[in-house]
Amino acid sequence: MIEEGSKSSKSMVEKRQLFMEMRAQNFDVIRLSTYRTACKLRFVQKRCNLHLVDVWNMIEAFRDNGLSTLDHNAEINVSRLETILSSIFYQLNKRLPTTHQINVDQSIGLLLNFIVATYDSEGHGKLTVFAMKAMLATMCGGKILDKLRYIFSQISDSNGVMVFAKFDQFLREVLKLPTAVFEGPSFGYTEHYTRTCFPQQKKILLNTFLDVLMADPPPQCLVWLPLMHRLANVENVFHPVECSYCRSESMMGFRYRCQQCHGYQLCQSCFWRGHASGPHSNQHQMKEHSSWKSPAKKLSHAISKSLGCMPMGEPPHPVFPEAAERPQDLAHTTTLESPSRLDEEHRLIARYAARLAAEASNSTQCPPSDLSFNFDANKQQRQLIAELENKNREILQEIQRLRLEHEQASQPTPEKAQQNPTLLAELRLLRHRKDELERRMSALQESRRELMVQLEGLMRLLKDEEQKQATGSSPHSSPSHSASCTMPMPIRSTSAGSTPTHTPQDCLAGVGDDVLDAFSQGVPRNLRNDLLVAADSITNTMSSLVKELHSVDDGLEEEECNMRNGREKAESE
C-alpha cells in the first residue's frame, strides 16, 4: 500500500511538472492572446524536445508503429502511446551527435503526461489515432507547409478533395492544445469554425487549403499556429537597434516599429507587455519585423521598387498538382527467399562435407606412410567446409535483412497511397533508391552463385585427387601407369549410363584461377598445398562479397543522409 501511494504521488507530480514550469515563465503577462498561446505552446514543444523531431521523422514513426493502417477513430491505450513516443525519441537520439543527446525518459514522461492531460482529461486511458496524429504533427518541428500537406492528406478523400467532416474533426482535436495551456476562452472549438475558414468554397483542393491556412492573416481560430513557427525562426535573430522604452541597445527575436511615431521601435518583450512612452500609444499600428536590414539595403530596396526592378512577390507556397495521382505500383519488388530454400543450401554444404569425411575414413588403400598426411588433409577440409558454411549463412542472413529494410522503406501503405497524393515526390525518390538497391542485390546474388560453383568444383576435384592417389599407390598398379596417369574427368551427367564428356577445365568454369592452377596439372601435386591455395581463393571471394555487403549498407546510409541534407537545405532556403 505504501509503494502504491508513493507511485501515485510521483505520477501526480510528473503530470503537474510541465505546467508548473510553464507558469514559472510568467507568460500570462503577455497582453495579446495570440502571442500568449504561441509562446506557451512553443515552450511545451521545446521542453518535450519535439522541436528536434522533423515532421518527416514523425510520419516515419507513424508508419513504423503501424498507425498508417489504422482507422482514424480507432483507439489506442496509454501503454501503446508510450511505446510510440519511446520509438520517436530513441530514434531521435540516434540521429543526434553524442554531445547533444537528450534525456529520453524525461522527454517521454513530460510529453506523455501532456498528451493524456490534453486528450484524456476524463481518465479513460485511451485516445484516438487521429487525435494523436494531429497533436504530434502540429507540435513537432519542421516547416508549416509540410505539416499542412500531411494534415490535408489525413482529411482528404482518394480524389484529393477535403472532407469537411474530417476538417471539423481536425479543428476539434487541434484546438484542444490552446485549451490545455489555459487559452480555451480565446481559441476554444466552436461548430461554426469550419465554415468560417472556407465560407465560399465547396470543393477544397490542396492549393486552396494551403492558400487559406497560410494567408496573412490566417483563420482566426488557427492564427497561433503560424505565429508559433515564426517564433521558432526568430529566436536567435539579432537587431542592432535600441528599444525606445527599455533602452536596451540590442533586440533579440521580433522587432516592432510604429507606423505613426517616427523612429519609435520596441523589443518583443516591451510590445507584448503593452509598454509605451512619450507620444506613442498602444493604439498605434505596429509593424512586426523578423530580420534586420541596414540603411544601405533599405535605400537600395526603395530605389529598385521605385524603378520597377523588384521581382514580383513569390506565392506563400508552391503550386501542387490538383488531381491525385495513381498509387505507386510496386508489383515488381524483389521477393524474399523462402526459409526452406536457405535451409536447403545449408543442407547441401553439410552433405558435401559429410561425404568427404566418410570417403576419407573408408579409404584403406593408402600406405601407412601417408596416413598422417591424409588425416591432416581431411581435417583441413572439414575446417574449410565449416568456415564456408558459416560465412554462407551470414551472407544469406544479411541479404534477407537488407531486403526487409528495402521493402519497409519503399512499400507505401494503402492509406498513404490513397490519401496522400502530394507526397509522390518522396515516393519517386524511394522508387529510384529501390531500383538501385535491386541492382546491387542482383550483383550479390550472382557473387553468391559463383561461390557455390567454386565450392562444388573444389569438392569434386578433392574427391578425384584422392581416388587418383589411391589408384597410384595400389600394389596392382605399375610404375609406368602411375607416371602417365592424368586427373580423372569429373562426371556431371544426370544418368549412370551416360558417358563423361567434360574435361576438368569444363568443371572449373567459374572457379578461381588459383584453384584452376592447383588442380589442372597432369602430375599429382602435394594435396596440402593445393588445399591451402584453394582456401585462399575462397577466402578472397568471401572477402570481396562481404565488402560488397558493407558498401550496400554505406550506400544506404549515404543516400538517407543526402536526402535529409537536401530537405534541410530546401527548408533553410
Side-chain angles (χ1 to χ4, degrees):
M1 296 294 294
I2 297 176
E3 292 181 358
E4 293 180 357
S6 61
K7 290 182 180 178
S8 177
S9 60
K10 181 179 179 181
S11 177
M12 292 298 295
V13 171
E14 291 178 350
K15 289 182 179 180
R16 295 175 181 175
Q17 178 181 355
L18 184 63
F19 296 101
M20 293 173 62
E21 293 179 2
M22 184 179 65
R23 288 183 182 276
Q25 299 295 318
N26 201 21
F27 291 121
D28 290 331
V29 300
I30 301 176
R31 63 188 182 95
L32 300 177
S33 60
T34 303
Y35 287 95
R36 193 167 57 243
T37 304
C39 288
K40 290 181 178 180
L41 292 177
R42 174 62 177 169
F43 172 80
V44 174
Q45 182 190 51
K46 295 180 65 176
R47 188 65 181 86
C48 297
N49 289 312
L50 276 175
H51 67 297
L52 301 176
V53 183
D54 189 81
V55 62
W56 300 108
N57 300 131
M58 193 66 72
I59 296 172
E60 182 180 2
F62 294 159
R63 183 198 63 203
D64 293 342
N65 288 275
L67 299 180
S68 299
T69 58
L70 295 179
D71 185 78
H72 282 174
N73 296 321
E75 293 184 337
I76 59 175
N77 55 29
V78 177
S79 177
R80 184 172 182 184
L81 174 61
E82 185 175 5
T83 301
I84 296 170
L85 298 181
S86 299
S87 67
I88 292 173
F89 286 113
Y90 278 112
Q91 289 296 326
L92 171 62
N93 250 2
K94 291 181 180 179
R95 296 189 298 269
L96 294 176
T98 55
T99 56
H100 292 76
Q101 298 285 295
I102 65 171
N103 189 330
V104 174
D105 294 335
Q106 184 182 53
S107 300
I108 294 173
L110 291 175
L111 183 56
L112 179 65
N113 290 323
F114 178 76
I115 295 177
V116 171
T118 303
Y119 293 98
D120 187 31
S121 57
E122 298 181 359
H124 297 303
K126 294 182 178 180
L127 70 158
T128 64
V129 172
F130 184 76
M132 190 194 64
K133 284 184 177 181
M135 183 272 171
L136 292 177
T138 302
M139 293 294 293
C140 69
K143 299 173 65 174
I144 186 173
L145 174 63
D146 297 331
K147 292 184 180 182
L148 294 177
R149 288 174 59 194
Y150 173 72
I151 291 170
F152 184 82
S153 70
Q154 301 298 301
I155 62 175
S156 58
D157 57 20
S158 58
N159 296 321
V161 179
M162 188 189 77
V163 180
F164 278 90
K166 291 185 178 180
F167 178 68
D168 182 75
Q169 184 182 5
F170 165 72
L171 289 181
R172 190 187 303 270
E173 301 298 344
V174 79
L175 290 179
K176 289 180 181 179
L177 292 173
T179 303
V181 293
F182 314 107
E183 297 296 334
S186 300
F187 299 105
Y189 169 80
T190 59
E191 296 180 354
H192 70 276
Y193 275 160
T194 301
R195 283 299 173 185
T196 302
C197 295
F198 303 97
Q200 304 294 335
Q201 300 89 339
K202 294 183 179 180
K203 183 179 180 181
I204 309 300
L205 300 177
L206 174 60
N207 292 314
T208 306
F209 180 79
L210 296 177
D211 288 339
V212 173
L213 269 67
M214 297 185 68
D216 188 15
Q220 181 60 31
C221 60
L222 296 174
V223 69
W224 51 270
L225 180 58
L227 178 58
M228 185 177 70
H229 288 77
R230 296 204 308 272
L231 281 173
N233 294 332
V234 302
E235 284 182 346
N236 298 318
V237 174
F238 174 76
H239 304 268
V241 182
E242 182 183 57
C243 177
S244 299
Y245 182 84
C246 66
R247 300 302 176 183
S248 175
E249 296 182 355
S250 61
M251 301 183 188
M252 294 293 294
F254 287 120
R255 173 172 55 92
Y256 298 88
R257 186 182 185 89
C258 182
Q259 300 299 293
Q260 298 183 23
C261 304
H262 178 70
Y264 193 90
Q265 302 187 81
L266 293 176
C267 62
Q268 68 177 21
S269 178
C270 293
F271 175 75
W272 289 354
R273 287 160 174 77
H275 295 160
S277 60
H280 178 71
S281 171
N282 289 331
Q283 305 301 321
H284 291 179
Q285 184 178 2
M286 303 289 287
K287 185 176 181 179
E288 183 180 273
H289 295 272
S290 58
S291 61
W292 163 256
K293 291 183 180 180
S294 64
K297 288 185 178 181
K298 291 181 180 179
L299 178 60
S300 175
H301 179 84
I303 294 176
S304 300
K305 186 175 180 180
S306 62
L307 295 177
C309 300
M310 292 295 296
M312 297 296 293
E314 296 183 359
H317 64 84
V319 179
F320 297 96
E322 297 291 351
E325 298 185 21
R326 297 179 61 184
Q328 185 180 11
D329 183 15
L330 296 179
H332 59 284
T333 303
T334 305
T335 58
L336 290 175
E337 292 188 12
S338 61
S340 60
R341 182 174 178 181
L342 302 180
D343 295 338
E344 202 173 294
E345 294 180 352
H346 295 161
R347 288 196 298 269
L348 178 63
I349 296 177
R351 188 163 60 249
Y352 279 139
R355 184 185 301 173
L356 287 174
E359 291 176 354
S361 62
N362 294 332
S363 178
T364 59
Q365 298 180 354
C366 295
S369 60
D370 294 334
L371 289 178
S372 60
F373 169 76
N374 290 335
F375 177 80
D376 293 337
N378 292 333
K379 184 177 180 181
Q380 291 179 1
Q381 293 173 11
R382 288 193 296 270
Q383 292 177 350
L384 176 62
I385 297 303
E387 292 176 0
L388 291 175
E389 184 179 3
N390 291 332
K391 290 181 179 179
N392 185 56
R393 186 182 295 109
E394 293 175 359
I395 291 172
L396 294 176
Q397 292 175 353
E398 185 69 14
I399 290 175
Q400 185 176 10
R401 184 185 68 81
L402 289 174
R403 286 183 173 179
L404 285 173
E405 291 180 356
H406 159 64
E407 286 190 350
Q408 291 176 359
S410 61
Q411 184 69 28
T413 60
E415 180 180 357
K416 181 186 294 183
Q418 295 178 1
Q419 296 186 357
N420 199 1
T422 60
L423 293 180
L424 289 177
E426 293 289 332
L427 289 178
R428 292 190 187 97
L429 292 176
L430 290 176
R431 182 186 302 170
H432 177 72
R433 174 182 173 187
K434 174 183 68 62
D435 294 338
E436 183 177 358
L437 184 58
E438 285 180 351
R439 291 193 296 270
R440 294 186 180 181
M441 294 299 297
S442 299
L444 287 177
Q445 290 286 18
E446 185 64 27
S447 299
R448 185 164 61 86
R449 283 194 292 269
E450 292 177 359
L451 175 61
M452 295 299 296
V453 171
Q454 293 181 15
L455 181 60
E456 182 180 0
L458 173 61
M459 291 180 178
R460 289 180 176 175
L461 289 172
L462 291 175
K463 177 181 176 181
D464 295 342
E465 180 70 16
E466 289 181 357
Q467 291 178 356
K468 183 189 67 175
Q469 291 181 356
T471 303
S473 61
S474 175
H476 300 285
S477 60
S478 62
S480 61
H481 176 74
S482 300
S484 61
C485 68
T486 59
M487 185 180 296
M489 292 182 292
I491 300 176
R492 301 187 62 178
S493 59
T494 57
S495 61
S498 59
T499 304
T501 60
H502 299 282
T503 64
Q505 284 75 14
D506 294 333
C507 177
L508 292 173
V511 182
D513 295 336
D514 295 335
V515 180
L516 183 61
D517 295 336
F519 292 101
S520 62
Q521 302 295 331
V523 180
R525 298 175 58 184
N526 190 323
L527 183 58
R528 180 191 300 271
N529 295 333
D530 295 339
L531 282 172
L532 292 177
V533 171
D536 290 341
S537 177
I538 298 299
T539 301
N540 293 335
T541 304
M542 297 298 299
S543 299
S544 64
L545 187 56
V546 171
K547 289 179 180 178
E548 291 182 12
L549 287 172
H550 289 170
S551 68
V552 171
D553 289 337
D554 296 339
L556 290 175
E557 293 178 358
E558 183 179 0
E559 290 170 1
E560 293 176 356
C561 182
N562 291 337
M563 292 176 63
R564 189 178 300 110
N565 292 337
R567 186 168 65 249
E568 292 177 354
K569 182 179 179 181
E571 291 177 358
S572 62
E573 292 177 354

